[in-house]
Amino acid sequence: MVNVRQSDIAKQLNVSRVTVSKALRDHPDISQAMKKKIGLTARKMGYVPNLIARQLNSRRTFTIGIVIPDLENSFFSYIVDSMIDYATEHNYYVILTVSREKSNIEKQNIENLIGMRVDGLLVCLSQETNDKQVFKTVEKMKIPLVFFDRAFENMKFSRVVFNDKPGAVNALNHIILEGYTRIAHFAGYSKTNIGRERNEGFREALTKNKIQINNDWIIESGFELKDGYESFKKLNTLGNLPEIIFAVNDRVALGAYKAAKEAGLRIPEDIGIFGYGFNEITDFFDPQLTVINQDPRKMGLEAIKLLIDEIEKKTRTGHSKIYIEEEFIWRKSVKRKLKYTKIM
Amino acid sequence: MVNVRQSDIAKQLNVSRVTVSKALRDHPDISQAMKKKIGLTARKMGYVPNLIARQLNSRRTFTIGIVIPDLENSFFSYIVDSMIDYATEHNYYVILTVSREKSNIEKQNIENLIGMRVDGLLVCLSQETNDKQVFKTVEKMKIPLVFFDRAFENMKFSRVVFNDKPGAVNALNHIILEGYTRIAHFAGYSKTNIGRERNEGFREALTKNKIQINNDWIIESGFELKDGYESFKKLNTLGNLPEIIFAVNDRVALGAYKAAKEAGLRIPEDIGIFGYGFNEITDFFDPQLTVINQDPRKMGLEAIKLLIDEIEKKTRTGHSKIYIEEEFIWRKSVKRKLKYTKIM
DNA sequence: ATGAAAGCGCTAACAC
DNA sequence: GTGTTAGCGCTTTCAT
């Protein structure tokens, strides 16, 4: 038989469908003998419970919908991986959707996930998104949702984010404490939150430490490898190189690596480079990048933990705002001037 | 109202639920006026169709279950990304599960996906798996399934795989044609298919080209960075270095890079390195790795295309075996001895 | 063009 | 301990 239902088992055994249903769920109503018999024939007949039917009347799906902008970016794949880990452990399944940074796809995805009656949603907004409409619907339907990495403020959803500015300030403090004063910044687009906050952190740290800001050394461009590459070339034409570069992210740092090497400069001997990034990738760099580490797994775990707590009503819905700690990690791309024994 | 159903709309408008159902699906039975009216109030009331209910009686879920060993490995995240791309385009949704290379988790995942009545399954077997039982169930239930990358032979499921041995032979031929004769191989575990086939390809290519195989230069170990690192150290103690190393994969190649650099050797001037891998990662290596490129996106697309064709009965179930072409790409980590103009 | 009846597979509530 | 009834939200006949 191709598709065995409880009623088929019931007919086979001359009992009612309810008896079968209860027996299979190990309900105390049913005698051990009966359970054994039913379990056995269920197995023999190749019965597989229809979760769809079960979901329909329990109004619970044990399914979580995830919406991310992109899965090629390993930052997101690490996040999703950690979410699936936690979900599996807690008997939830995950429907994964990708918006490709398009707000219309994102909207479609969320609508479908609502339609599938997921128990909750984990969303990282696309860069385009500014329309809150779907999210209002989610609110109205009282579906638990947690934003991660990119979030709407002023909605009653929890969010898990990095706190960029203090992270930058802290890192710069370390660098300055080490004796560096000639510091450049390869900044991201100032239109973006990320670009702006990291830049502000940079300026604030220098100012507070009474270091003159050299505007020639703040080069604003994008977030990709080529941007770092070109920024370095531009910097190199100044005839006045800094000792060290603060890159807005790891791809930009890598672009800078490339241009520096092509210019015959050694890292870190001739020029130091550090920046935002995360471990798993920047470990592969040559030399390994000194980073302000943003751990995607921490973020993923925090977000799904929050969500499942909300789903299971262990916590009041919405409103939490959790900052994931950023850690400054000394590695090979910056020369230590002082001889600390402690590695931070 | 929090959770609006068709019957709520019907009551509101004093029509039957069937009318509403039909109108919402744009069924020809219903008059334009009625459709408009129903559509409007549906929107106004915040109606979201319950896909679970729809799935229950259509016995179609437009959902595909994916089972992979790991998502941290970017090879798999690229595969999944391409699958989701194609799925979205064809109005399918994807439930993603990760087995962590454990056959019991894999089994559990597949059973649950069957329970959720996915329309089809895409599976990359865990390294442990040798029990076919769940897959027999899938066969029996006539659920379309396509294996990718790692597959069971002798089942009536289609599979999409790389053909390692010819890929290795082809690459070695290029290398040998270029004038290399002193060639080492950092091999993977010979217990694994991958390790064995690549090793066989290596030996065959050398033999066919009448090059003496130096067994000291075939160093068998694992598939990780550290394995490449240690293999190189071992090689370097021989006092008899090859000109070039064929690494079983990109991580092993990177380990070899590291050890080579630490030993003061320049790549490619002092020693060449090439190996299996894929573009997106090996592009970041310094120098860029000359690779036998295995394109995960091609594999993902081919697999899901096959699956959806089977689901929609555009093709007969099972039995296709598709090989994804491997491409040899010259980059910076191997010195070209001949002066080709053409880049292969 | 609209609606009544029946059913998808399962389970909760209540009898017997 | 086992079974009956009813219903989850939707759709597919088949009448009207």
Side-chain angles (χ1 to χ4, degrees), chain B residues 169-214:
Chain B
V169 170
N170 172 50
L172 265 303
N173 281 342
H174 278 106
I175 294 293
I176 292 167
L177 205 67
E178 198 74 19
Y180 287 94
T181 55
R182 300 168 53 81
I183 310 173
H185 178 34
F186 289 180
Y189 297 121
S190 60
K191 283 177 293 192
T192 64
N193 264 332
I194 286 178
R196 223 168 23 240
E197 289 188 15
R198 295 177 187 186
N199 196 335
E200 281 169 16
F202 172 78
R203 289 166 185 277
E204 181 177 311
L206 265 62
T207 307
K208 286 235 169 113
N209 284 283
K210 307 213 180 354
I211 294 176
Q212 179 73 37
I213 292 176
N214 178 346

Side-chain angles (χ1 to χ4, degrees), chain A residues 2-4 48-53 55-56 61 63 70-72 77-78 80-81 84-85 88 93-98 100 105 108-109 111-117 137 140-142 225 254 261 284 286 297, chain B residues 2-4 48-53 55-56 61 63 70-72 77-78 80-81 84-85 88 93-98 100 105 108-109 111-117 137 140-142 225 254 261 284 286 297:
Chain A
V2 173
N3 221 319
V4 186
V48 181
N50 186 325
L51 266 27
I52 302 280
Q55 287 165 4
L56 182 61
T61 57
T63 289
D70 186 6
L71 192 62
E72 287 201 351
S77 64
Y78 275 84
V80 172
D81 192 60
I84 292 182
D85 250 15
T88 307
Y93 275 76
V94 153
I95 301 185
L96 179 62
T97 67
V98 176
R100 295 253 162 281
I105 300 186
Q108 186 63 57
N109 285 155
E111 278 171 357
N112 281 319
L113 290 169
I114 298 174
M116 294 191 197
R117 294 299 190 266
T137 308
K140 217 177 302 170
M141 294 181 75
K142 297 191 197 307
L225 205 117
L254 195 58
K261 287 173 183 171
F284 284 172
D286 180 24
R297 298 195 71 89
Chain B
V2 175
N3 221 319
V4 186
V48 181
N50 186 324
L51 266 28
I52 302 280
Q55 287 165 5
L56 182 60
T61 57
T63 288
D70 187 6
L71 193 62
E72 287 200 349
S77 63
Y78 275 85
V80 172
D81 192 58
I84 292 182
D85 250 15
T88 307
Y93 275 77
V94 153
I95 301 184
L96 179 62
T97 67
V98 175
R100 295 251 165 280
I105 299 185
Q108 186 62 57
N109 286 154
E111 279 171 358
N112 282 319
L113 291 169
I114 298 175
M116 293 190 197
R117 295 298 190 265
T137 308
K140 218 178 299 169
M141 293 181 76
K142 297 192 199 305
L225 206 117
L254 195 59
K261 286 172 182 172
F284 283 171
D286 179 26
R297 298 194 71 90

